[in-house]
Amino acid sequence: MTPSTSSRGAAKRALLSLAIGSFGIGMTEFVVMGLLPDIAADLLPAVWEVSPEDALSRAGWLISLYALGVVIGAPTIAGFAARFPRHRVMIVLALALTLFNALTVVLPTFELVALSRLLAGLPHGAYFGIGALVAADVMGPGNRAKGVAFILTGLTLANVIGVPLGTFLGQQWGWRAAFAVVTLVFAVGALCIGLFVPAHPGSPGRTMREELGVFRIGQVWFTLGVGAIGFGGFFAVYSYIAPLVTEVSGADEWVVPIVLVLMGIGMTVGNLVGGHLADIDLRRTLLWGLAAMAIVFAVLALVSPWIFTLGLLVVVVGLVSSVLSPTIQTRLMDVSGDNQSIAAALNHSALNVGNSLGALLGGSVIALGWGFTAPAWVGAGLAGAGLLIAVVSYRVEERRARTAVPTGPSLVVRVVE
């Protein structure tokens, strides 16, 4: 499906259909964070009664297990599915997301819910990766980051509408109600993909072995490191936003959905701005974005006792963090050579390593008794480490470009001289 073979209206319907699925993914990934106290109290009542901090830290494993599912599933599914028609793969992925989230609604114990979260994460990266390739084809050369940002808009809008709504429903009628809504969203997305995403061929000649060749590219590893470490700072903050609002600022529980809306607004704006800036100058967008994250997280830790300043800062947190989403995705596609399918999915593996790492480290410092502002300082440190990785990556790239051996006519001229 390219601009020359598909009308603008058909392309818009196709991308909107894919965005419904990304909206559902945004809900299922992030609604846990706003409902973490409710989930901990329901699934771990004995621990919650003795120590809410320990219960919250243990419930944070639901975030980490979902992220682990993404890490496992993204390269595995994307590599295996590269040979198949992409529109059919997207339908299967949307149906799998529907089923696994339905399991979260009905399974009774913490251990079984944890398993369902692991399963729900498996299709995540492949959905975004293959969807990003479709979007990039629709938008055409010079606008690839905007195409990626379009698919990610569903995820960021989930943080404006879906996550706050799910958090409110979960607080009123039990946390499982939020996942019932998520299941419905995925069911609608699967139907729309089947109706409106036209035939989109895969790469019939590609094999898993060829796709896995992406791991031999050094710059791919650097970029994955930026996503896993640098963007992990965002998840260290976001995973524990609910106790930051209620315990540190002293606000009522009903304020949490409002803060999540503010975060989502920042994320939506940042995603669109990031797609635009990355198409202009990807390098500067990546480096300055990481530096801004580190600074903003540190400021958040200092001003979070006041709910008004906390509300303002979470908008900025969402904005600067989401600028990096299409930027890292596009950088990974740039350095991956012919391994586009698996590279596009690997970005989400990296981001969810960051999800798992951020949630784990954020929960650990809380469990150590360092307070609910400690995850923000962890986030600042992770963002700074990501910036360092990005700087090293570009330095290595520049050095290799300078020392590359000339070939072709340039080599002949040098010999003649």
Side-chain angles (χ1 to χ4, degrees):
M1 184 174 59
T2 65
S4 61
T5 60
S6 177
S7 69
R8 179 174 296 181
K12 183 181 293 186
R13 287 190 293 272
L15 294 179
L16 287 174
S17 298
L18 296 172
I20 292 173
S22 66
F23 181 92
I25 289 176
M27 277 196 72
T28 195
E29 182 175 15
F30 295 123
V31 77
V32 175
M33 298 163 184
L35 292 172
L36 205 59
D38 303 85
I39 296 171
D42 181 48
L43 294 179
L44 300 166
V47 181
W48 179 266
E49 186 175 350
V50 175
S51 174
E53 290 82 4
D54 288 345
L56 281 169
S57 179
R58 191 177 302 181
W61 279 99
L62 297 179
I63 301 171
S64 298
L65 285 169
Y66 180 91
L68 178 62
V70 180
V71 173
I72 296 170
T76 305
I77 296 174
F80 174 78
R83 73 192 77 174
F84 299 110
R86 289 172 181 158
H87 64 292
R88 293 180 182 174
V89 173
M90 296 302 293
I91 294 173
V92 172
L93 293 174
L95 290 173
L97 286 161
T98 304
L99 172 62
F100 295 145
N101 280 276
L103 292 177
T104 301
V105 178
V106 300
L107 292 176
T109 67
F110 178 80
E111 291 76 15
L112 290 175
V113 169
L115 176 61
S116 75
R117 298 309 295 156
L118 176 68
L119 293 173
L122 293 175
H124 174 131
Y127 186 98
F128 274 122
I130 297 171
L133 294 176
V134 174
D137 286 346
V138 169
M139 296 299 287
N143 294 293
R144 293 178 307 134
K146 295 185 184 71
V148 172
F150 189 98
I151 295 296
L152 292 174
T153 296
L155 186 150
T156 57
L157 284 176
N159 286 278
V160 179
I161 302 170
V163 173
L165 175 61
T167 301
F168 175 78
L169 293 175
Q171 291 172 345
Q172 300 301 314
W173 290 288
W175 63 269
R176 295 179 191 273
F179 287 95
V181 174
V182 169
T183 302
L184 179 61
V185 170
F186 281 127
V188 172
L191 177 62
C192 290
I193 291 170
L195 291 174
F196 300 119
V197 175
H200 197 288
S203 303
R206 295 294 291 180
T207 66
M208 174 67 84
R209 183 176 181 178
E210 289 174 326
E211 287 290 318
L212 292 178
V214 72
F215 291 109
R216 293 194 295 268
I217 303 173
Q219 285 297 328
V220 167
W221 285 105
F222 277 122
T223 309
L224 293 176
V226 171
I229 304 299
F231 208 76
F234 168 73
F235 290 108
V237 174
Y238 198 9
S239 297
Y240 301 97
I241 194 70
L244 193 67
V245 172
T246 57
E247 302 298 327
V248 177
S249 73
D252 294 330
E253 190 179 55
W254 61 265
V255 178
V256 175
I258 296 175
V259 171
L260 293 175
V261 169
L262 294 173
M263 178 82 81
I265 291 172
M267 292 175 70
T268 302
V269 175
N271 179 60
L272 297 174
V273 170
H276 179 73
L277 293 178
D279 280 329
I280 295 174
D281 193 327
L282 191 147
R283 176 175 176 164
R284 288 187 178 181
T285 304
L286 182 60
L287 297 179
W288 282 104
L290 288 164
M293 278 179 63
I295 295 170
V296 169
F297 292 159
V299 174
L300 178 68
L302 297 174
V303 304
S304 56
W306 301 278
I307 188 59
F308 179 75
T309 51
L310 174 62
L312 291 178
L313 256 294
V314 296
V315 177
V316 183
V317 167
L319 192 152
V320 298
S321 300
S322 288
V323 162
L324 292 173
S325 295
T327 305
I328 296 173
Q329 177 83 78
T330 306
R331 170 68 175 168
L332 194 54
M333 293 167 68
D334 284 346
V335 300
S336 63
D338 295 330
N339 308 286
Q340 293 289 297
S341 294
I342 196 167
L346 279 172
N347 179 50
H348 298 278
S349 286
L351 296 183
N352 278 274
V353 168
N355 187 343
S356 181
L357 180 65
L360 177 63
L361 293 179
S364 297
V365 293
I366 291 174
L368 287 171
W370 294 359
F372 290 109
T373 60
W377 291 109
V378 171
L382 289 173
L387 175 61
L388 178 61
I389 295 171
V391 170
V392 173
S393 171
Y394 281 112
R395 291 286 177 86
V396 170
E397 189 175 63
E398 290 171 352
R399 185 167 56 189
R400 289 189 176 179
R402 288 195 302 266
T403 59
V405 178
T407 58
S410 61
L411 181 60
V412 173
V413 170
R414 191 168 291 184
V415 170
V416 171
E417 291 176 351

